Amino acid sequence: MIGPADSNATPPAAPQPMRELVVLTHGIASTRFFLAPLAARLRSAGFTTRLTGYPSLWWSNETFGKRLAALLRRVAPSYDRVHLVVHSMGGIVARCALREELPPNFGRVVQIAPPNRGSHMATRLAVECGHPAWDNFIVRPHRFIAPTLVELVDAPDSFVNRLGPAPAGIDVGVIAASNDRVLYPEQTLLEGAADHCTVNGWHTGVLWTKETAELTARFLRTGRFGEGGQLSAVRDRLTPMAEA
């Protein structure tokens, strides 16, 4: 029987919520502040966020990936899990980071409008086509100003197309933009990704929609964009590109 003293016993402490950090980074010729609205929505969903930037036009995606992995290792000890949410070329930086040493509590990755199979626009701006005016006044200046752009061309042997599939054991989710003029929808596909979905909007504008934030938060928690951890209904709508 429970005596009088037992009735005053201190109830067990409620479990503490998991401390989850989301590191967000941007794409080429952009800034981390473009991700501020998405970060604010993720904070409202219970995540801690950190915006990080890099000089995206110069050096290489591999260099930025090493730096991003080093940042993850530095911040990880203060949290239970650390996730990545990345936009455009930031998705390629993230894939490079996944090839480096990661903290043991690394969580999931959400790529938003990533050129996983290159970008036709990058090819147009960075590969000479034989037209003297275009090559002299558009292509050559872009190749000089933005060496990282060359890594994003959609040629079968380009840097981005040699990166390989998503690493085993890491959930990567891909969100494509329905009206993207920078990428064809199939250029966002990543072999080995856990899920793929499409959000209405343009290449950068999808960052600022409530739908993108809700899908991102759901994937970080469950590893799926669908309700209840189910695969997204649009996951298989896109026809994979033929492998080179």
Side-chain angles (χ1 to χ4, degrees):
M1 296 181 61
I2 299 176
D6 297 320
S7 64
N8 295 323
T10 303
Q16 294 298 310
M18 182 175 287
R19 299 169 301 157
E20 296 185 86
L21 174 68
V22 181
V23 176
L24 302 95
T25 198
H26 57 87
I28 191 168
S30 186
T31 169
R32 64 186 185 274
F33 298 112
F34 276 53
L35 290 142
L38 175 57
R41 286 188 166 115
L42 291 176
R43 287 195 297 275
S44 296
F47 297 94
T48 302
T49 63
R50 175 169 179 155
L51 300 173
T52 185
Y54 60 101
S56 59
L57 297 178
W58 290 93
W59 292 294
S60 70
N61 282 276
E62 192 170 26
T63 296
F64 300 137
K66 290 179 184 295
R67 294 178 181 178
L68 181 57
L71 171 64
L72 295 173
R73 293 194 299 270
R74 287 198 305 273
V75 301
S78 299
Y79 298 91
D80 297 313
R81 294 189 83 186
V82 179
H83 307 284
L84 275 177
V85 172
V86 289
H87 177 240
S88 195
M89 191 182 81
I92 307 308
V93 174
R95 288 175 64 189
C96 291
L98 297 183
R99 303 170 78 179
E100 304 296 321
E101 179 187 355
L102 296 172
N105 59 342
F106 183 75
R108 298 185 170 104
V109 182
V110 173
Q111 297 180 314
I112 302 171
N116 281 322
R117 299 192 177 189
S119 162
H120 68 282
M121 186 60 68
T123 300
R124 180 166 173 75
L125 295 175
V127 177
E128 294 186 10
C129 64
H131 190 288
W134 184 265
D135 290 346
N136 288 329
F137 295 104
I138 301 296
V139 174
R140 289 170 189 167
H142 275 88
R143 291 179 69 93
F144 174 76
I145 294 170
T148 51
L149 187 66
V150 180
E151 298 182 340
L152 305 182
V153 302
D154 59 2
D157 62 346
S158 68
F159 172 83
V160 69
N161 279 313
R162 296 196 307 270
L163 283 177
I170 297 179
D171 291 335
V172 179
V174 180
I175 297 176
S178 63
N179 298 310
D180 202 328
R181 296 296 181 264
V182 177
L183 304 167
Y184 295 131
E186 61 268 22
Q187 291 177 324
T188 66
L189 293 175
L190 175 62
E191 183 182 351
D195 206 353
H196 187 293
C197 69
T198 301
V199 170
N200 290 329
W202 50 286
H203 185 72
T204 301
V206 292
L207 289 174
W208 307 322
T209 70
K210 183 179 179 181
E211 183 181 10
T212 295
E214 291 175 345
L215 289 168
T216 297
R218 186 181 301 159
F219 187 89
L220 294 180
R221 291 195 176 103
T222 69
R224 295 291 185 269
F225 291 121
E227 294 283 358
Q230 299 299 309
L231 286 174
S232 167
V234 298
R235 181 176 186 265
D236 297 317
R237 286 186 189 173
L238 302 179
T239 302
M241 297 174 66
E243 296 296 335

